[in-house]
Amino acid sequence: MGCPSLINGLFIRLEWKQMLRSRWMQLVAVLFVFVFAAISIIQQIALPDMNNFTRQTASFLNLLLFLLPLFILTIGSMGIANDLESGWFSLLKTYPMTIKNYIFGKYVALLLSFMLILLLAFSIVLGMSSLAGQVHLPLVFVGLSSVTILIFSALAIVCGVVAKSRLHALALSLLAWAFALLLLSYALMAVGTVVAGHTLQKLTIVMIHLNPAEWIRFGYFIFSGQHSVLGPSFYEFTEFYSSLAGLVVYVLVTICWIVLPLLFAGFLLRRKGDQV
């Protein structure tokens, strides 16, 4: 039946081609590139100096965190759910390919697709800014965009494995998106009205680590040198993550946000595989 590594490579290529041919993915690509390029150019015109944290910078960061996770979660989860619902996964099980290889292949295909969209957006931004005589693309946004894709692609795989259908996958991905970007923040603000300040500070630190969206947002504050945004009460916390040890911890936590969801998805799929 062929070499397993060869089959796995062909599977990744097939998944990537199918994802790129999807009209939904193409529409998302056009929308994201347009919005990203527009906001980037406006950012450069309105605020050429990126050394200060302003409303424009905050708006750009929020837009980045809102768009990318939404697109990744919906497309990635529906792709997995479609395989399970249509019987494609059952057919794949007849080939010498493990569940681990299947999860890895879907994850890599999702990564490549959105990294390509990101590369296209950055290329357009650089092209337009070079025509204006001002080539400037903050590396912190490039890095955080890549981290966003890495983390939320793994979460999308989990949503797709848990879902019973494509519609269910869409609902789960929207719920996960709303939970990470909206509900947890509102819940923390509500709790902050009834607890002491030091308790709220500890809850905020815990929430930063447990919420991937806030973890990425926190990464921007650290790596762009905007420590003061969090206030003086978080001075020791931000100082630690500004050190070499803090950088190592940040990388390790980020890896956990990538690896643990994929391992959990593989575990669920093994239990679900006998029923598919």
Side-chain angles (χ1 to χ4, degrees):
M1 297 192 58
C3 176
S5 60
L6 177 60
I7 292 178
N8 294 331
L10 292 174
F11 174 67
I12 293 176
R13 290 181 59 186
L14 176 63
E15 288 294 325
W16 191 31
K17 288 182 179 179
Q18 288 181 343
M19 196 166 292
L20 292 180
R21 291 172 181 172
S22 171
R23 292 192 176 184
W24 174 238
M25 174 62 81
Q26 294 171 2
L27 179 62
V28 166
V30 172
L31 177 62
F32 178 77
V33 169
F34 173 77
V35 174
F36 189 90
I39 296 298
S40 298
I41 296 302
I42 293 174
Q43 176 70 31
Q44 293 181 27
I45 295 175
L47 189 68
D49 185 6
M50 296 294 294
N51 293 325
N52 296 319
F53 185 75
T54 64
R55 283 185 182 178
Q56 291 89 345
T57 310
S59 298
F60 183 88
L61 182 61
N62 288 330
L63 184 61
L64 178 67
L65 287 175
F66 268 74
L67 279 182
L68 262 183
L70 178 62
F71 293 156
I72 295 171
L73 287 171
T74 53
I75 292 178
S77 62
M78 290 178 68
I80 296 284
N82 181 64
D83 289 350
L84 298 174
E85 187 179 16
S86 64
W88 174 244
F89 176 71
S90 299
L91 176 62
L92 289 175
K93 289 197 300 181
T94 62
Y95 291 86
M97 182 173 60
T98 64
I99 290 179
K100 178 178 68 174
N101 296 135
Y102 172 78
I103 294 292
F104 179 75
K106 298 291 289 188
Y107 180 71
V108 171
L110 193 60
L111 280 183
L112 292 176
S113 299
F114 279 94
M115 287 294 185
L116 182 61
I117 293 175
L118 205 61
L119 179 62
L120 180 60
F122 289 151
S123 299
I124 292 178
V125 169
L126 287 175
M128 295 177 66
S129 58
S130 63
L131 291 176
Q134 181 186 6
V135 181
H136 183 67
L137 186 63
L139 293 179
V140 64
F141 285 136
V142 178
L144 288 177
S145 299
S146 301
V147 171
T148 302
I149 295 175
L150 289 169
I151 292 178
F152 281 93
S153 292
L155 297 177
I157 299 295
V158 175
C159 292
V161 171
V162 173
K164 299 178 180 178
S165 63
R166 283 174 293 181
L167 185 60
H168 190 203
L170 177 61
L172 284 178
S173 60
L174 291 177
L175 179 62
W177 174 81
F179 195 72
L181 272 299
L182 299 173
L183 299 182
L184 284 178
S185 299
Y186 291 149
L188 185 62
M189 287 189 289
V191 171
T193 61
V194 296
V195 299
H198 66 278
T199 303
L200 179 62
Q201 178 187 6
K202 295 178 180 178
L203 289 176
T204 301
I205 292 176
V206 171
M207 190 65 64
I208 287 175
H209 290 81
L210 296 182
N211 186 346
E214 292 302 326
W215 182 244
I216 296 169
R217 196 192 310 272
F218 174 69
Y220 170 79
F221 296 145
I222 294 300
F223 300 126
S224 62
Q226 310 298 330
H227 305 165
S228 60
V229 173
L230 296 177
S233 59
F234 291 90
Y235 176 78
E236 294 182 0
F237 178 59
T238 56
E239 281 298 306
F240 168 74
Y241 273 102
S242 301
S243 64
L244 179 60
L247 176 61
V248 173
V249 173
Y250 189 91
V251 172
L252 291 177
V253 174
T254 301
I255 291 175
C256 288
W257 268 113
I258 298 170
V259 175
L260 293 181
L262 294 177
L263 293 177
F264 183 61
F267 170 75
L268 292 179
L269 197 55
R270 287 187 187 91
R271 298 187 58 184
K272 199 174 185 179
D274 296 334
Q275 306 174 4
V276 177

